[in-house]
Amino acid sequence: MTAQIRTQVTVPLRFPDGYSTSARVFTFTGLADGREHLALGFGDWRTAVTVAANGGPAPLVRPHSECLTGDVFGSERCDCGPQLREAAERITGTGGFLLYLRQEGRGIGLYAKLDAYALQDTGLDTYQANLALGHGEDERDYTAAAQMLQSLGAPRIRLLSNNPDKAAQLAARGIDVTERIPTGVHLSAANARYLTTKRDHTAHTLDLPLTAVAS
């Protein structure tokens, strides 16, 4: 299935810490899951795409799954908000795309994610809680992300992510991931167990201090 760019518009952005940038925001038709995913082109993304098409370095791309609690409200139970902020600045500096994917709670939805939080408060980890609710550990599918990249003319990318599953899924869907670049480690007292579980259970690239592992 082929996706097409539906609309594109420039949106100036300002983050809570004062960092400002601008994004070319794309909407699409024909996405496999029918959801309203967005692509944000940061920096000189046009040149980055052209250079890659001519055999040069691929544009930097972060597929970022929607997280209302972290992205909007600043929840410290996860590292999503800081990763979004980091990605905007890093991609602006090199040229590329942030794919904002409507896959709240690893694909289980907002209410179910909050139900999972309640189970985590009883001692389950983030993956155990999803399973206890009858969901998969991670229900995200990156077919639409691959479609978006193809329609943007970016079938070769440098992937900004700690998650090896994103690289594997995109590669399986025809995207050439030339390099996987980890994000920073955004550790807080509230998310130490969460980050440690991601590192140990699903091989996320997270260089955590020993104090986080022990907590």
Side-chain angles (χ1 to χ4, degrees), residues 150-163:
Q150 294 285 4
S151 68
L152 291 164
R156 293 177 60 244
I157 67 169
R158 292 180 299 126
L159 181 66
L160 181 60
S161 175
N162 301 323
N163 185 353

PDB file of all heavy atoms in Angstrom, residues 150-163:
ATOM      1  N   GLN A 150       8.775   6.576   2.853  1.00  0.00           N
ATOM      2  CA  GLN A 150       8.814   6.393   1.402  1.00  0.00           C
ATOM      3  C   GLN A 150       8.181   7.573   0.691  1.00  0.00           C
ATOM      4  O   GLN A 150       8.721   8.089  -0.303  1.00  0.00           O
ATOM      5  CB  GLN A 150       8.092   5.092   1.025  1.00  0.00           C
ATOM      6  CG  GLN A 150       8.758   3.807   1.511  1.00  0.00           C
ATOM      7  CD  GLN A 150       9.994   3.424   0.714  1.00  0.00           C
ATOM      8  OE1 GLN A 150      10.439   4.127  -0.181  1.00  0.00           O
ATOM      9  NE2 GLN A 150      10.576   2.275   1.062  1.00  0.00           N
ATOM     10  N   SER A 151       7.053   8.055   1.192  1.00  0.00           N
ATOM     11  CA  SER A 151       6.368   9.172   0.529  1.00  0.00           C
ATOM     12  C   SER A 151       7.148  10.477   0.666  1.00  0.00           C
ATOM     13  O   SER A 151       7.028  11.371  -0.178  1.00  0.00           O
ATOM     14  CB  SER A 151       4.952   9.338   1.093  1.00  0.00           C
ATOM     15  OG  SER A 151       4.982   9.772   2.438  1.00  0.00           O
ATOM     16  N   LEU A 152       7.968  10.585   1.706  1.00  0.00           N
ATOM     17  CA  LEU A 152       8.809  11.763   1.897  1.00  0.00           C
ATOM     18  C   LEU A 152      10.112  11.685   1.100  1.00  0.00           C
ATOM     19  O   LEU A 152      10.910  12.620   1.113  1.00  0.00           O
ATOM     20  CB  LEU A 152       9.142  11.931   3.384  1.00  0.00           C
ATOM     21  CG  LEU A 152       7.974  12.315   4.299  1.00  0.00           C
ATOM     22  CD1 LEU A 152       8.339  12.074   5.761  1.00  0.00           C
ATOM     23  CD2 LEU A 152       7.563  13.771   4.079  1.00  0.00           C
ATOM     24  N   GLY A 153      10.325  10.584   0.412  1.00  0.00           N
ATOM     25  CA  GLY A 153      11.560  10.405  -0.352  1.00  0.00           C
ATOM     26  C   GLY A 153      12.743  10.060   0.515  1.00  0.00           C
ATOM     27  O   GLY A 153      13.893  10.380   0.170  1.00  0.00           O
ATOM     28  N   ALA A 154      12.478   9.379   1.639  1.00  0.00           N
ATOM     29  CA  ALA A 154      13.541   9.043   2.589  1.00  0.00           C
ATOM     30  C   ALA A 154      13.551   7.552   2.891  1.00  0.00           C
ATOM     31  O   ALA A 154      13.303   7.128   4.039  1.00  0.00           O
ATOM     32  CB  ALA A 154      13.376   9.850   3.872  1.00  0.00           C
ATOM     33  N   PRO A 155      13.848   6.715   1.895  1.00  0.00           N
ATOM     34  CA  PRO A 155      13.901   5.273   2.152  1.00  0.00           C
ATOM     35  C   PRO A 155      15.183   4.823   2.846  1.00  0.00           C
ATOM     36  O   PRO A 155      15.278   3.676   3.262  1.00  0.00           O
ATOM     37  CB  PRO A 155      13.810   4.671   0.745  1.00  0.00           C
ATOM     38  CG  PRO A 155      14.482   5.697  -0.126  1.00  0.00           C
ATOM     39  CD  PRO A 155      14.104   7.031   0.474  1.00  0.00           C
ATOM     40  N   ARG A 156      16.172   5.723   2.968  1.00  0.00           N
ATOM     41  CA  ARG A 156      17.399   5.469   3.714  1.00  0.00           C
ATOM     42  C   ARG A 156      17.447   6.456   4.868  1.00  0.00           C
ATOM     43  O   ARG A 156      17.272   7.655   4.661  1.00  0.00           O
ATOM     44  CB  ARG A 156      18.645   5.660   2.859  1.00  0.00           C
ATOM     45  CG  ARG A 156      18.831   4.655   1.741  1.00  0.00           C
ATOM     46  CD  ARG A 156      20.073   4.997   0.894  1.00  0.00           C
ATOM     47  NE  ARG A 156      21.300   4.993   1.681  1.00  0.00           N
ATOM     48  CZ  ARG A 156      22.065   6.080   1.906  1.00  0.00           C
ATOM     49  NH1 ARG A 156      21.718   7.261   1.415  1.00  0.00           N
ATOM     50  NH2 ARG A 156      23.164   5.986   2.606  1.00  0.00           N
ATOM     51  N   ILE A 157      17.682   5.958   6.084  1.00  0.00           N
ATOM     52  CA  ILE A 157      17.669   6.841   7.244  1.00  0.00           C
ATOM     53  C   ILE A 157      18.775   6.468   8.226  1.00  0.00           C
ATOM     54  O   ILE A 157      19.268   5.343   8.243  1.00  0.00           O
ATOM     55  CB  ILE A 157      16.316   6.797   7.989  1.00  0.00           C
ATOM     56  CG1 ILE A 157      16.089   5.415   8.636  1.00  0.00           C
ATOM     57  CG2 ILE A 157      15.167   7.169   7.063  1.00  0.00           C
ATOM     58  CD1 ILE A 157      14.912   5.375   9.595  1.00  0.00           C
ATOM     59  N   ARG A 158      19.143   7.447   9.045  1.00  0.00           N
ATOM     60  CA  ARG A 158      19.877   7.197  10.279  1.00  0.00           C
ATOM     61  C   ARG A 158      18.842   7.297  11.390  1.00  0.00           C
ATOM     62  O   ARG A 158      18.167   8.322  11.529  1.00  0.00           O
ATOM     63  CB  ARG A 158      20.994   8.228  10.471  1.00  0.00           C
ATOM     64  CG  ARG A 158      22.116   8.088   9.441  1.00  0.00           C
ATOM     65  CD  ARG A 158      23.215   9.120   9.649  1.00  0.00           C
ATOM     66  NE  ARG A 158      22.714  10.475   9.512  1.00  0.00           N
ATOM     67  CZ  ARG A 158      22.853  11.440  10.418  1.00  0.00           C
ATOM     68  NH1 ARG A 158      23.497  11.199  11.550  1.00  0.00           N
ATOM     69  NH2 ARG A 158      22.388  12.647  10.187  1.00  0.00           N
ATOM     70  N   LEU A 159      18.698   6.235  12.147  1.00  0.00           N
ATOM     71  CA  LEU A 159      17.597   6.106  13.099  1.00  0.00           C
ATOM     72  C   LEU A 159      18.005   6.605  14.478  1.00  0.00           C
ATOM     73  O   LEU A 159      18.939   6.074  15.087  1.00  0.00           O
ATOM     74  CB  LEU A 159      17.154   4.650  13.175  1.00  0.00           C
ATOM     75  CG  LEU A 159      15.992   4.329  14.120  1.00  0.00           C
ATOM     76  CD1 LEU A 159      14.704   4.988  13.646  1.00  0.00           C
ATOM     77  CD2 LEU A 159      15.815   2.816  14.237  1.00  0.00           C
ATOM     78  N   LEU A 160      17.300   7.606  14.985  1.00  0.00           N
ATOM     79  CA  LEU A 160      17.537   8.140  16.325  1.00  0.00           C
ATOM     80  C   LEU A 160      16.614   7.412  17.295  1.00  0.00           C
ATOM     81  O   LEU A 160      15.451   7.766  17.465  1.00  0.00           O
ATOM     82  CB  LEU A 160      17.276   9.648  16.349  1.00  0.00           C
ATOM     83  CG  LEU A 160      17.507  10.376  17.671  1.00  0.00           C
ATOM     84  CD1 LEU A 160      18.953  10.250  18.138  1.00  0.00           C
ATOM     85  CD2 LEU A 160      17.102  11.844  17.555  1.00  0.00           C
ATOM     86  N   SER A 161      17.131   6.369  17.911  1.00  0.00           N
ATOM     87  CA  SER A 161      16.292   5.544  18.791  1.00  0.00           C
ATOM     88  C   SER A 161      17.164   4.616  19.614  1.00  0.00           C
ATOM     89  O   SER A 161      18.221   4.159  19.164  1.00  0.00           O
ATOM     90  CB  SER A 161      15.308   4.707  17.964  1.00  0.00           C
ATOM     91  OG  SER A 161      14.566   3.828  18.791  1.00  0.00           O
ATOM     92  N   ASN A 162      16.677   4.287  20.828  1.00  0.00           N
ATOM     93  CA  ASN A 162      17.326   3.279  21.663  1.00  0.00           C
ATOM     94  C   ASN A 162      16.717   1.890  21.466  1.00  0.00           C
ATOM     95  O   ASN A 162      17.179   0.922  22.052  1.00  0.00           O
ATOM     96  CB  ASN A 162      17.185   3.657  23.147  1.00  0.00           C
ATOM     97  CG  ASN A 162      17.797   4.996  23.456  1.00  0.00           C
ATOM     98  OD1 ASN A 162      18.829   5.356  22.913  1.00  0.00           O
ATOM     99  ND2 ASN A 162      17.156   5.760  24.334  1.00  0.00           N
ATOM    100  N   ASN A 163      15.663   1.805  20.666  1.00  0.00           N
ATOM    101  CA  ASN A 163      14.835   0.602  20.585  1.00  0.00           C
ATOM    102  C   ASN A 163      15.197  -0.227  19.356  1.00  0.00           C
ATOM    103  O   ASN A 163      14.919   0.175  18.229  1.00  0.00           O
ATOM    104  CB  ASN A 163      13.362   1.018  20.525  1.00  0.00           C
ATOM    105  CG  ASN A 163      12.412  -0.157  20.572  1.00  0.00           C
ATOM    106  OD1 ASN A 163      12.822  -1.308  20.521  1.00  0.00           O
ATOM    107  ND2 ASN A 163      11.132   0.135  20.660  1.00  0.00           N
TER     108      ASN A 163
END
